[in-house]
Amino acid sequence: EAGVVQSPRYKIIEKKQPVAFWCNPISGHNTLYWYLQNLGQGPELLIRYENEEAVDDSQLPKDRFSAERLKGVDSTLKIQPAELGDSAVYLCASSSGQGAYTDTQYFGPGTRLTVL
Amino acid sequence: RKEVEQDPGPFNVPEGATVAFNCTYSNSASQSFFWYRQDCRKEPKLLMSVYSSGNEDGRFTAQLNRASQYISLLIRDSKLSDSATYLCVVNTRGATNKLIFGTGTLLAVQP
């Protein structure tokens, strides 16, 4: 079974430029998560979707970050404009079920963003 | 104070050693507990869930002490392949399936 797919794996941009990351969850997983991981830190949740609905976006900096999951399958996370401090790894994860706290989350390989 | 705290390490141990990782969490409403493993430049992967009764999976033993809000992971007979970062993770009721990660503890097993 294919795991969580993310692209691109690496992205280098200049500050103030826009950037977008794409995630395709494991087939059949209706819950999708975007996390941010800074160097030397654990991942931090940005947004969680159940199907196409964003049910927890409290940690998403909405002035510059946006996300969508229009058909309840794949998802895009966008930053516009990017800042130097956005350099990090952006991880996507998915889980089956309805987001119960016992669900196992499976992570994709992440997109490593460098903002110059 | 961070919600989940771990010693960042690194822990440098010889092959065959027993190593223990400790973790504390601040939210007494936390309901489920996990250890994830993250290899260098890779994604986190679930190593094991942690139950109040303690649980064991081969060389790995996890313990939870709810009264002290303390979680541990013991690795016996360390292998070179155990070298990774071990992330302590808790999930809090009321924020369904919101995983709170510790900063991770880096383990380096030496030949």
Side-chain angles (χ1 to χ4, degrees), chain A residues 9-10 33 35 37 40-43 45 48 56 58-59 91 95 99-101 103-105 107-109 112, chain B residues 2 31-32 34 36 38 41-46 49 87 91-93 95-104:
Chain A
R9 293 293 310 278
Y10 304 91
Y33 315 78
Y35 287 87
Q37 186 172 24
Q41 302 294 317
L45 181 69
R48 174 169 69 93
D56 182 358
S58 57
Q59 303 281 75
L91 293 161
S95 65
Y101 58 78
D103 289 351
T104 297
Q105 296 185 22
F107 285 81
R112 185 173 298 272
Chain B
K2 291 187 177 181
Q31 285 295 301
S32 50
F34 312 91
Y36 275 68
Q38 187 170 26
R41 303 179 80 86
K42 299 285 189 180
E43 71 272 22
K45 292 184 179 179
L46 179 65
S49 301
L87 296 157
N91 194 325
T92 303
R93 183 175 61 185
T96 54
N97 221 11
K98 182 173 182 175
L99 297 182
I100 308 295
F101 287 78
T103 55

Side-chain angles (χ1 to χ4, degrees), chain A residues 27-42:
Chain A
S27 178
H29 281 193
N30 57 325
T31 307
L32 183 147
Y33 315 78
W34 283 102
Y35 287 87
L36 164 70
Q37 186 172 24
N38 286 304
L39 187 65
Q41 302 294 317

